[in-house]
Amino acid sequence: MRLVLLGPPGAGKGTQAFKLSQILAIPQLSTGDMLRAAVSERTAIGRQAAEIMERGELVPDDLVVGLIADRIARSDAVSGFILDGFPRTVTQAESLDDVLGSHQLNCVLELKVDEQHLLDRILGRAMQARENGEAVRADDNQEALSVRLTAYANQTRPLTHYYAAKGLLKTVDASQPMDRVTAALVEAIA
Ligand code: ADP
């Protein structure tokens, strides 16, 4: 099963991708996690991406396409994967189609949330992390978050039309409790 999870920052992509990866026994491939790892390891890619991510903007397409193409080629992704945070632009989606060749996507799951709630969710998550003495993401602040939401609206939301036209798009209400969202996703895939 080759899946894409689409949704704005704070929609719960990471949480749901993790749950689906357990249920379906396929890896969760998160470009956000890969990039954050690259930043903390100070690799060439990480050095290129760090400031862009901190501002909340998207890193260049060729950089993430390269990362994901290498990751998909690994043996654990042969029987499928869940892409979390990729593709994020139409150019990335077209590159993904090329990378996949004859093994195209089975389904694109859109997590839909009232964007009014997203700011509260993410800032709440950052506050919670701070209280627990955990690391807070460099881009979980009001300024970067509004850039991330704008990037989603302008660059990523058009992907829903791209995938709807291919008959791949399924939309799930992600403002429900977490377990209900998971159940709705599983049902959408079935
Ligand atoms: P969120 O969905 O909460 O914004 P992610 O962890 O998916 O968080 O992404 C964090 C940041 O990593 C993005 O704001 C962007 O800078 C970068 N990033 C992740 N995936 C991509 C991608 N596919 N294309 C461009 N930039 C990306």
Side-chain angles (χ1 to χ4, degrees), residues 7-10 13 30-33 35-36 49 52-54 56-61 64 84-89 92 122 125 137 139-140 148:
K13 284 190 306 289
S30 158
T31 42
D33 288 349
L35 288 168
R36 278 185 288 276
I52 301 172
M53 291 174 73
E54 204 156 318
E57 295 164 9
L58 297 186
V59 307
D61 288 332
V64 274
D84 155 15
F86 180 94
R88 249 176 159 96
T89 64
Q92 290 179 20
I122 298 204
R125 177 173 80 188
R137 265 173 57 170
D139 58 352
D140 274 356
R148 283 155 67 198

Side-chain angles (χ1 to χ4, degrees), residues 63-112:
L63 200 148
V64 274
V65 168
L67 268 182
I68 220 73
D70 289 349
R71 184 62 189 82
I72 284 174
R74 274 163 51 182
S75 58
D76 65 337
V78 167
S79 60
F81 47 78
I82 302 165
L83 293 174
D84 155 15
F86 180 94
R88 249 176 159 96
T89 64
V90 172
T91 305
Q92 290 179 20
E94 288 166 349
S95 302
L96 177 62
D97 290 345
D98 292 342
V99 168
L100 294 177
S102 57
H103 303 285
Q104 286 294 314
L105 295 170
N106 299 101
C107 191
V108 174
L109 299 158
E110 181 197 10
L111 295 178
K112 198 154 195 162

